[in-house]
Amino acid sequence: MSTVSGDETTRLLPAPAGDPAPRPRTEPELRRWLLPSAVVHALDPDAARNGRPRRTARDWIVDFSCFFLAVAIGLAAADSLPDEHGLSPALAVVDQLVGALACGAVWLRRRWPVGLAVAMIPVGFVSNTAGGAVMVALFTLAVHRPFRYVAWVGGVSLALVPLFYVLRPEPDLPYAAAVALIALLTLTIIGWGMLARAKRQLMLSLRDRARRAETEARLRAEQAQRLAREAIAREMHDVLAHRLTLLSVHAGALEFRPDAPRAEVARAAGVIRESAHEALQDLREIIGVLRAAEADDTGRPQPTLAALDALAAESREAGTKVGLDNRVTDPAGVPASVGRTAYRIAQEGLTNARKHAPGTEVTVRVTGAPGDGLVMTVSNPAPDGPVPAVPGSGQGLIGLTERATLAGGRLEHGPDADGGFRVSAWLPWG
């Protein structure tokens, strides 16, 4: 069951099976019955499947009030019928009968507001006791339908008022005063109905804005979560792929060289142990970021441009030929975010060279100065022989491109003319 409270729709759950005690009505449920059924139907997201809205308690009160008002005005007009000059008793009976039918037709005003208002034009012209029902029909039309319907029906009704009092003069009022009074009353009722319609439309528009705002907030939250997941996945790829390729290289060496010297085996095992330890540390740090609401400032320090020497040395120990040409005079002066991005680019370039061009020499060049930006190039020649395809290739370069773009720079990658591969990046250094 849907309930409406202010600009919010509350969905109440049914009582659990086997619970004999009825659930008390909540305040939003009680407020639902104080709103018009048209508003509840418009605010209910399931209104399209519910069919025509049912009357609420407020609707019943308003309908009874309109009916009694039409009857009261009709009775007052019936008392003045004997005073009209030239009105026969038979016409007076017909006038009262038509007025009674018009008062009964007031109950149809919610289902057919336009039809009832149009039908009341000739009824009000021939019956003086139907005046109350005519006013109720005009008010309902102004509340439930756009202005063009009100303008046509109200305009025709106002145009017939002078003719009506020519045929049936008011015994207690002059002609001009009677016409002016009825015209003013008609315009007042139409304006009142249009004001009620405007207030309903304002409430519905505010509710629609609130729904759109909630949807946009939910979409923004989902987008933030997706971006956070992508950032974490990119970080895991950049960090763990480097460590795991080192493990793969040394494990493969031990597998294909079981007769290697004891010192070489011990060195390879040490590199495997150290790489596994570093990978576990990185994985623990990333999982800690996932568990915590904010990043832990006491975690491992993030790499900077000054750590390129250690990265090159680590790759050389794994058997990769690395040539590092670092022409940055002050690596410590590079902003932390720029240095970290440059480090990840070099790390991903070395990882890709080990996977796709094993045995080749990788050249890493870094140049730049404050104001000019930081330029980094990671290149390697073509491998000597065919290399089996690696599943999931290309994802790291996509992540690097996004990382460089987020840092305010750009990254390009692709094969060279001699069959090698090159990754070039420019990063801002203000």
Coordinates of all heavy atoms in Angstrom, one line a residue, residues 63-128:
D63 N -17.1 16.2 -1.7 CA -18.3 15.9 -2.5 C -19.6 16.1 -1.8 O -20.6 16.6 -2.4 CB -18.2 14.4 -3.0 CG -17.0 14.2 -4.0 OD1 -16.5 15.3 -4.5 OD2 -16.6 13.1 -4.3
F64 N -19.7 15.6 -0.6 CA -20.9 15.9 0.2 C -21.1 17.4 0.4 O -22.3 17.8 0.3 CB -20.8 15.2 1.6 CG -21.3 13.8 1.5 CD1 -20.4 12.7 1.6 CD2 -22.6 13.5 1.4 CE1 -20.8 11.4 1.6 CE2 -23.1 12.2 1.4 CZ -22.2 11.1 1.5
S65 N -20.0 18.1 0.6 CA -20.2 19.6 0.8 C -20.7 20.2 -0.5 O -21.6 21.1 -0.4 CB -18.9 20.2 1.2 OG -18.4 19.6 2.5
C66 N -20.1 19.8 -1.6 CA -20.6 20.4 -2.9 C -22.1 20.0 -3.2 O -22.9 20.8 -3.7 CB -19.7 19.9 -4.0 SG -18.0 20.6 -4.0
F67 N -22.4 18.8 -2.8 CA -23.8 18.4 -3.1 C -24.8 19.1 -2.2 O -25.8 19.7 -2.7 CB -23.9 16.9 -2.8 CG -25.3 16.3 -2.8 CD1 -26.0 16.2 -4.0 CD2 -26.0 16.0 -1.7 CE1 -27.3 15.7 -4.1 CE2 -27.3 15.6 -1.7 CZ -28.0 15.4 -2.9
F68 N -24.5 19.3 -0.9 CA -25.4 20.0 0.0 C -25.4 21.5 -0.4 O -26.4 22.2 -0.2 CB -24.9 19.8 1.4 CG -25.2 18.5 2.0 CD1 -24.2 17.8 2.7 CD2 -26.4 17.9 1.8 CE1 -24.5 16.5 3.2 CE2 -26.7 16.6 2.3 CZ -25.7 15.9 3.0
L69 N -24.3 22.0 -0.9 CA -24.3 23.4 -1.3 C -25.2 23.6 -2.5 O -25.9 24.6 -2.6 CB -22.8 23.9 -1.6 CG -22.7 25.3 -2.1 CD1 -23.1 26.3 -1.0 CD2 -21.2 25.6 -2.5
A70 N -25.1 22.7 -3.5 CA -25.9 22.8 -4.6 C -27.4 22.7 -4.3 O -28.3 23.4 -4.8 CB -25.5 21.7 -5.7
V71 N -27.7 21.8 -3.3 CA -29.1 21.6 -2.9 C -29.6 22.8 -2.1 O -30.7 23.3 -2.3 CB -29.2 20.3 -2.0 CG1 -30.6 20.3 -1.3 CG2 -28.9 19.1 -2.8
A72 N -28.7 23.4 -1.3 CA -29.1 24.6 -0.5 C -29.4 25.8 -1.5 O -30.4 26.5 -1.3 CB -28.0 25.0 0.5
I73 N -28.5 26.0 -2.5 CA -28.8 27.0 -3.5 C -30.0 26.8 -4.3 O -30.8 27.7 -4.6 CB -27.5 27.2 -4.4 CG1 -26.3 27.7 -3.5 CG2 -27.8 28.2 -5.5 CD1 -25.0 27.8 -4.3
G74 N -30.2 25.5 -4.6 CA -31.4 25.1 -5.4 C -32.7 25.4 -4.5 O -33.7 25.9 -5.1
L75 N -32.7 25.0 -3.2 CA -33.9 25.3 -2.4 C -34.1 26.8 -2.3 O -35.3 27.2 -2.3 CB -33.6 24.7 -1.0 CG -33.6 23.1 -1.0 CD1 -33.3 22.6 0.4 CD2 -34.9 22.5 -1.5
A76 N -33.0 27.6 -2.1 CA -33.2 29.0 -2.0 C -33.8 29.6 -3.3 O -34.7 30.4 -3.3 CB -31.9 29.7 -1.7
A77 N -33.4 29.0 -4.5 CA -34.0 29.5 -5.7 C -35.4 29.0 -5.9 O -36.2 29.7 -6.5 CB -33.1 29.0 -6.9
A78 N -35.7 27.8 -5.4 CA -37.1 27.3 -5.5 C -38.1 28.2 -4.7 O -39.2 28.3 -5.1 CB -37.1 25.8 -5.0
D79 N -37.6 28.7 -3.5 CA -38.5 29.6 -2.8 C -38.8 30.9 -3.5 O -39.9 31.5 -3.2 CB -37.8 30.0 -1.4 CG -37.7 28.8 -0.5 OD1 -38.5 27.8 -0.7 OD2 -36.8 28.7 0.4
S80 N -37.9 31.3 -4.4 CA -38.2 32.5 -5.1 C -39.0 32.3 -6.4 O -39.3 33.3 -7.1 CB -36.9 33.3 -5.5 OG -36.1 32.5 -6.3
L81 N -39.2 31.1 -6.8 CA -40.0 30.8 -8.0 C -41.4 31.4 -8.1 O -41.8 31.9 -9.1 CB -40.0 29.3 -8.3 CG -38.7 28.7 -8.7 CD1 -38.9 27.2 -9.0 CD2 -38.1 29.3 -10.0
P82 N -42.2 31.3 -7.0 CA -43.5 31.9 -7.0 C -43.5 33.4 -7.2 O -44.5 34.0 -7.7 CB -44.1 31.6 -5.6 CG -43.3 30.3 -5.2 CD -42.0 30.6 -5.7
D83 N -42.4 34.1 -6.9 CA -42.4 35.5 -7.1 C -42.1 36.0 -8.5 O -42.1 37.2 -8.9 CB -41.3 36.2 -6.2 CG -41.7 35.9 -4.7 OD1 -42.9 35.7 -4.4 OD2 -40.7 35.8 -3.9
E84 N -41.7 35.0 -9.4 CA -41.3 35.4 -10.8 C -42.6 35.6 -11.6 O -43.6 34.9 -11.5 CB -40.5 34.2 -11.4 CG -39.1 34.1 -10.9 CD -38.3 33.1 -11.8 OE1 -38.6 33.0 -13.0 OE2 -37.3 32.5 -11.3
H85 N -42.6 36.7 -12.3 CA -43.7 37.1 -13.1 C -43.8 36.3 -14.4 O -42.8 36.1 -15.1 CB -43.7 38.6 -13.5 CG -43.6 39.5 -12.3 ND1 -44.7 39.7 -11.5 CD2 -42.6 40.2 -11.8 CE1 -44.4 40.5 -10.5 NE2 -43.1 40.9 -10.7
G86 N -44.9 35.7 -14.7 CA -45.1 35.0 -15.9 C -44.7 33.6 -15.9 O -44.6 32.9 -17.0
L87 N -44.3 33.0 -14.7 CA -43.9 31.6 -14.6 C -45.0 30.8 -14.2 O -45.6 30.9 -13.1 CB -42.7 31.5 -13.6 CG -42.1 30.1 -13.5 CD1 -41.4 29.7 -14.8 CD2 -41.1 30.1 -12.3
S88 N -45.5 29.9 -15.0 CA -46.6 29.0 -14.7 C -46.2 28.0 -13.7 O -45.0 27.6 -13.5 CB -47.1 28.4 -16.0 OG -46.1 27.5 -16.5
P89 N -47.2 27.4 -13.0 CA -46.9 26.3 -12.0 C -46.2 25.1 -12.7 O -45.3 24.5 -12.1 CB -48.2 26.0 -11.4 CG -49.0 27.2 -11.6 CD -48.6 27.8 -12.8
A90 N -46.6 24.8 -13.9 CA -46.0 23.6 -14.6 C -44.5 23.9 -14.9 O -43.7 23.0 -14.7 CB -46.7 23.4 -15.9
L91 N -44.2 25.1 -15.3 CA -42.8 25.4 -15.5 C -42.0 25.4 -14.2 O -40.8 25.1 -14.2 CB -42.7 26.8 -16.2 CG -43.2 26.8 -17.7 CD1 -43.0 28.2 -18.3 CD2 -42.4 25.8 -18.6
A92 N -42.6 25.9 -13.2 CA -41.9 25.9 -11.9 C -41.6 24.4 -11.4 O -40.5 24.1 -10.9 CB -42.8 26.5 -10.8
V93 N -42.5 23.5 -11.7 CA -42.3 22.1 -11.3 C -41.1 21.5 -12.2 O -40.2 20.8 -11.7 CB -43.6 21.3 -11.5 CG1 -43.3 19.8 -11.3 CG2 -44.6 21.7 -10.5
V94 N -41.2 21.9 -13.5 CA -40.1 21.4 -14.4 C -38.8 22.0 -13.9 O -37.7 21.3 -14.0 CB -40.4 21.8 -15.8 CG1 -39.2 21.5 -16.8 CG2 -41.7 21.1 -16.3
D95 N -38.8 23.3 -13.6 CA -37.5 23.9 -13.1 C -37.0 23.2 -11.9 O -35.8 22.9 -11.8 CB -37.8 25.4 -12.8 CG -36.6 26.2 -12.5 OD1 -35.8 25.7 -11.6 OD2 -36.3 27.2 -13.1
Q96 N -37.8 22.8 -10.9 CA -37.3 22.2 -9.7 C -36.9 20.7 -10.0 O -35.9 20.2 -9.4 CB -38.5 22.1 -8.7 CG -38.8 23.5 -8.2 CD -40.0 23.5 -7.2 OE1 -40.0 22.6 -6.3 NE2 -40.9 24.5 -7.3
L97 N -37.6 20.1 -10.9 CA -37.2 18.7 -11.3 C -35.8 18.7 -12.0 O -35.0 17.9 -11.6 CB -38.3 18.1 -12.2 CG -38.0 16.6 -12.7 CD1 -37.9 15.7 -11.5 CD2 -39.1 16.2 -13.7
V98 N -35.6 19.6 -12.9 CA -34.3 19.7 -13.6 C -33.2 20.1 -12.6 O -32.1 19.6 -12.6 CB -34.4 20.7 -14.7 CG1 -33.0 20.9 -15.3 CG2 -35.4 20.2 -15.8
G99 N -33.5 21.0 -11.6 CA -32.6 21.3 -10.6 C -32.2 20.2 -9.7 O -31.0 20.0 -9.3
A100 N -33.2 19.3 -9.4 CA -32.9 18.2 -8.5 C -32.0 17.2 -9.3 O -31.0 16.6 -8.7 CB -34.2 17.5 -8.1
L101 N -32.3 17.0 -10.6 CA -31.4 16.1 -11.4 C -30.0 16.7 -11.5 O -29.0 15.9 -11.5 CB -32.0 15.9 -12.8 CG -33.3 15.1 -12.8 CD1 -33.9 15.1 -14.2 CD2 -33.1 13.7 -12.3
A102 N -29.9 18.0 -11.6 CA -28.6 18.6 -11.7 C -27.8 18.5 -10.4 O -26.6 18.2 -10.4 CB -28.7 20.1 -12.1
C103 N -28.5 18.6 -9.3 CA -27.8 18.4 -8.0 C -27.3 16.9 -7.9 O -26.2 16.7 -7.3 CB -28.8 18.7 -6.8 SG -29.1 20.5 -6.7
G104 N -28.1 16.0 -8.3 CA -27.7 14.6 -8.3 C -26.5 14.3 -9.2 O -25.6 13.5 -8.9
A105 N -26.4 15.1 -10.3 CA -25.3 14.9 -11.3 C -24.0 15.4 -10.7 O -23.0 15.2 -11.3 CB -25.7 15.6 -12.6
V106 N -24.1 16.2 -9.6 CA -22.8 16.7 -9.0 C -21.9 15.5 -8.6 O -20.7 15.7 -8.6 CB -23.2 17.6 -7.8 CG1 -22.0 17.8 -6.9 CG2 -23.8 18.9 -8.3
W107 N -22.4 14.4 -8.3 CA -21.6 13.2 -7.9 C -20.8 12.7 -9.1 O -19.9 11.9 -8.9 CB -22.5 12.1 -7.4 CG -23.1 12.4 -6.0 CD1 -24.3 12.9 -5.8 CD2 -22.4 12.4 -4.8 NE1 -24.5 13.1 -4.4 CE2 -23.3 12.8 -3.8 CE3 -21.1 12.0 -4.4 CZ2 -23.0 12.9 -2.4 CZ3 -20.8 12.1 -3.0 CH2 -21.8 12.5 -2.1
L108 N -21.1 13.1 -10.3 CA -20.3 12.7 -11.5 C -19.2 13.6 -11.9 O -18.6 13.5 -12.9 CB -21.3 12.5 -12.7 CG -22.4 11.5 -12.5 CD1 -23.3 11.5 -13.7 CD2 -21.9 10.1 -12.2
R109 N -19.0 14.7 -11.0 CA -18.1 15.7 -11.4 C -16.6 15.3 -11.5 O -15.9 15.8 -12.3 CB -18.2 16.9 -10.4 CG -17.7 16.6 -9.1 CD -18.0 17.7 -8.1 NE -17.3 17.5 -6.8 CZ -16.2 18.0 -6.5 NH1 -15.5 18.8 -7.4 NH2 -15.6 17.8 -5.3
R110 N -16.2 14.3 -10.7 CA -14.8 13.8 -10.8 C -14.6 12.9 -12.0 O -13.4 13.0 -12.5 CB -14.5 13.1 -9.5 CG -14.5 14.0 -8.2 CD -14.0 13.2 -7.0 NE -14.1 14.0 -5.8 CZ -13.2 14.9 -5.4 NH1 -12.1 15.0 -6.1 NH2 -13.3 15.6 -4.3
R111 N -15.6 12.2 -12.4 CA -15.3 11.3 -13.5 C -15.4 12.0 -14.8 O -14.6 11.7 -15.8 CB -16.3 10.1 -13.5 CG -16.2 9.1 -14.6 CD -17.0 7.9 -14.4 NE -16.6 7.1 -13.3 CZ -17.1 5.9 -13.0 NH1 -18.1 5.4 -13.8 NH2 -16.7 5.2 -11.9
W112 N -16.4 12.9 -15.0 CA -16.6 13.6 -16.3 C -16.7 15.1 -16.0 O -17.8 15.7 -16.1 CB -17.8 13.1 -17.0 CG -17.8 11.6 -17.3 CD1 -16.9 11.0 -18.2 CD2 -18.7 10.6 -16.8 NE1 -17.2 9.7 -18.3 CE2 -18.2 9.4 -17.5 CE3 -19.7 10.6 -15.9 CZ2 -18.8 8.2 -17.2 CZ3 -20.3 9.3 -15.7 CH2 -19.9 8.2 -16.3
P113 N -15.6 15.7 -15.7 CA -15.7 17.2 -15.4 C -16.1 18.0 -16.6 O -16.9 18.9 -16.5 CB -14.3 17.5 -14.8 CG -13.4 16.5 -15.3 CD -14.3 15.2 -15.4
V114 N -15.5 17.7 -17.8 CA -15.8 18.5 -19.0 C -17.3 18.2 -19.4 O -18.0 19.1 -19.7 CB -14.8 18.1 -20.1 CG1 -15.1 18.9 -21.3 CG2 -13.4 18.5 -19.6
G115 N -17.6 16.9 -19.5 CA -19.0 16.6 -19.9 C -20.1 17.2 -19.0 O -21.1 17.7 -19.5
L116 N -19.8 17.2 -17.7 CA -20.8 17.7 -16.8 C -20.9 19.2 -16.9 O -22.0 19.8 -16.9 CB -20.4 17.4 -15.3 CG -21.3 17.9 -14.2 CD1 -22.7 17.3 -14.4 CD2 -20.8 17.6 -12.8
A117 N -19.8 19.9 -17.1 CA -19.8 21.4 -17.2 C -20.5 21.8 -18.5 O -21.3 22.7 -18.6 CB -18.4 21.9 -17.2
V118 N -20.3 21.0 -19.6 CA -20.9 21.3 -20.9 C -22.4 21.1 -20.8 O -23.3 21.8 -21.3 CB -20.3 20.5 -22.0 CG1 -21.1 20.6 -23.3 CG2 -18.9 20.9 -22.3
A119 N -22.8 20.0 -20.1 CA -24.2 19.7 -19.9 C -24.9 20.7 -19.1 O -26.2 20.9 -19.2 CB -24.4 18.3 -19.3
M120 N -24.2 21.3 -18.1 CA -24.8 22.3 -17.2 C -25.1 23.6 -17.9 O -25.8 24.5 -17.4 CB -23.9 22.5 -16.0 CG -23.9 21.4 -15.0 SD -25.6 21.1 -14.3 CE -25.3 19.5 -13.5
I121 N -24.5 23.8 -19.1 CA -24.8 25.1 -19.8 C -26.3 25.2 -20.2 O -27.0 26.2 -19.8 CB -23.9 25.3 -21.0 CG1 -22.4 25.4 -20.6 CG2 -24.3 26.5 -21.8 CD1 -21.5 25.5 -21.7
P122 N -26.9 24.3 -20.9 CA -28.3 24.4 -21.2 C -29.2 24.2 -20.0 O -30.3 24.8 -19.8 CB -28.6 23.3 -22.2 CG -27.5 22.3 -22.1 CD -26.3 23.1 -21.6
V123 N -28.7 23.3 -19.0 CA -29.5 23.1 -17.8 C -29.6 24.4 -17.0 O -30.7 24.7 -16.5 CB -28.9 21.9 -17.0 CG1 -29.5 21.8 -15.6 CG2 -29.0 20.6 -17.7
G124 N -28.5 25.1 -16.8 CA -28.6 26.3 -16.1 C -29.4 27.4 -16.8 O -29.9 28.3 -16.1
F125 N -29.5 27.3 -18.1 CA -30.2 28.3 -18.8 C -31.7 28.1 -18.7 O -32.5 29.1 -18.7 CB -29.9 28.3 -20.3 CG -30.4 29.4 -21.1 CD1 -29.9 30.7 -21.0 CD2 -31.5 29.1 -22.0 CE1 -30.5 31.7 -21.8 CE2 -32.0 30.1 -22.7 CZ -31.5 31.4 -22.6
V126 N -32.2 26.9 -18.5 CA -33.6 26.6 -18.4 C -34.1 26.4 -16.9 O -35.3 26.5 -16.7 CB -34.0 25.4 -19.2 CG1 -33.7 25.5 -20.7 CG2 -33.3 24.1 -18.6
S127 N -33.2 26.2 -16.0 CA -33.5 26.0 -14.6 C -32.8 26.9 -13.7 O -31.6 27.0 -13.7 CB -33.2 24.5 -14.2 OG -33.5 24.3 -12.9
N128 N -33.6 27.7 -12.9 CA -33.0 28.6 -11.9 C -32.5 27.8 -10.7 O -31.5 28.2 -10.1 CB -34.0 29.6 -11.5 CG -33.4 30.8 -10.9 OD1 -32.2 31.0 -10.9 ND2 -34.2 31.7 -10.3

